[in-house]
Amino acid sequence: MSMIKIQDVVKDIVHSDEEALYALAKGFMNLSAYAKQIKRSVEEKSKKDVQVTGIVVALSRIQKNLKGINPLVQDIKLNNITTKSPLSEIVFEKTPDILSRLSSLYEKVKTSGDDFLTMTLSTNEVTVICSSRLKEAVLKHFKDKPIMTVNELASIGLSFDEKYYDMPNITFSLIRRIAQKRIVLAETITTHAEIIFVFNQKDLPEIMKLFQVA
């Protein structure tokens, strides 16, 4: 049976705590204080008694390997940023009648190049997010009364190189900026080279600032 290394246990713990990982990478962490905090968890996972000094040594080595970079956050170069507003979100119960009309949605609801129209099919609901000028056409097409309607939304589309598709934490790295501002997202839509966030229109100026290139 292979021995469990203390450094591996400490690494697993710190990598599961984003705030601690950031503080460690940037050199803000009080290593002794954090070592005391996680001592019991290290002992439980390693199944042996561990000294605080041993944990501090492990943290120091991990910090050195990080080289000031948070491994959970990717540095993403954005190629293009597009915004759409005002938008409306319309949510229907997933019934046979609603499903039967899905295939003809894009045919019946006429759009222009500047319009936004996307549909999400989940376990129990069908959600349509569209340019507000299309709202009545969508409602007329589906006929059934929606279970929820939200107006005055906006979206930001972030386009990037296809090379990021196979890299981890791309969505996390971008959505993290929004989460730090405690901005509520109505929807997140991803493709192989673009992520679109939908949110309240009042938050558009603040979100634009988050993704502007200096």
Side-chain angles (χ1 to χ4, degrees):
M1 184 175 179
S2 61
M3 294 287 290
I4 301 175
K5 295 181 179 180
I6 298 303
Q7 183 161 334
D8 291 340
V9 173
V10 174
K11 183 177 180 180
D12 286 343
I13 291 173
V14 76
H15 273 248
S16 66
D17 183 344
E18 189 199 348
E19 291 185 1
L21 187 59
Y22 177 81
L24 183 63
K26 297 299 182 182
F28 304 149
M29 177 182 285
N30 182 321
L31 301 186
S32 296
Y34 188 70
K36 292 175 184 177
Q37 179 182 326
I38 65 173
K39 182 176 183 293
R40 178 175 293 182
S41 294
V42 174
E43 290 180 332
E44 290 176 351
K45 292 178 183 293
S46 64
K47 296 180 173 58
K48 55 187 173 185
D49 293 334
V50 179
Q51 298 297 318
V52 169
T53 52
I55 300 175
V56 171
V57 170
L59 288 168
S60 297
R61 290 173 179 168
I62 295 167
Q63 186 178 54
K64 184 177 180 180
N65 291 334
L66 290 173
K67 298 177 180 178
I69 299 172
N70 185 338
L72 297 182
V73 180
Q74 298 283 7
D75 183 14
I76 305 166
K77 180 181 179 181
L78 299 176
N79 292 337
N80 193 34
I81 299 175
T82 58
T83 62
K84 300 285 185 181
S85 67
L87 305 179
S88 296
E89 179 180 20
I90 311 165
V91 183
F92 298 95
E93 184 181 357
K94 187 179 174 183
T95 64
D97 285 343
I98 291 294
L99 291 174
S100 68
R101 298 187 186 103
L102 283 179
S103 60
S104 57
L105 173 64
Y106 294 98
E107 177 185 347
K108 297 296 184 180
V109 178
K110 302 301 182 182
T111 62
S112 68
D114 292 330
D115 284 324
F116 186 97
L117 177 61
T118 185
M119 180 271 298
T120 302
L121 184 64
S122 62
T123 304
N124 299 308
E125 299 173 343
V126 173
T127 300
V128 177
I129 298 179
C130 62
S131 298
S132 292
R133 78 170 197 88
L134 303 175
K135 175 185 171 182
E136 292 306 319
V138 171
L139 290 170
K140 182 178 179 180
H141 175 70
F142 283 107
K143 298 180 182 179
D144 291 13
K145 184 178 179 180
I147 59 177
M148 185 181 80
T149 302
V150 181
N151 299 311
E152 297 182 358
L153 298 176
S155 72
I156 187 168
L158 309 173
S159 301
F160 39 80
D161 194 279
E162 294 180 359
K163 70 180 182 182
Y164 294 110
Y165 181 77
D166 293 321
M167 295 173 62
N169 292 11
I170 297 304
T171 300
F172 169 79
S173 298
L174 295 173
I175 206 171
R176 180 176 180 269
R177 304 185 197 181
I178 298 174
Q180 288 175 329
K181 294 296 183 179
R182 299 182 61 82
I183 294 173
V184 177
L185 291 177
E187 186 74 74
T188 301
I189 305 159
T190 63
T191 70
H192 75 292
E194 184 178 22
I195 295 178
I196 300 171
F197 298 119
V198 181
F199 43 85
N200 192 293
Q201 191 172 349
K202 68 178 176 58
D203 294 317
L204 181 56
E206 183 69 21
I207 287 185
M208 282 294 293
K209 291 179 185 177
L210 296 177
F211 297 105
Q212 284 179 346
V213 179

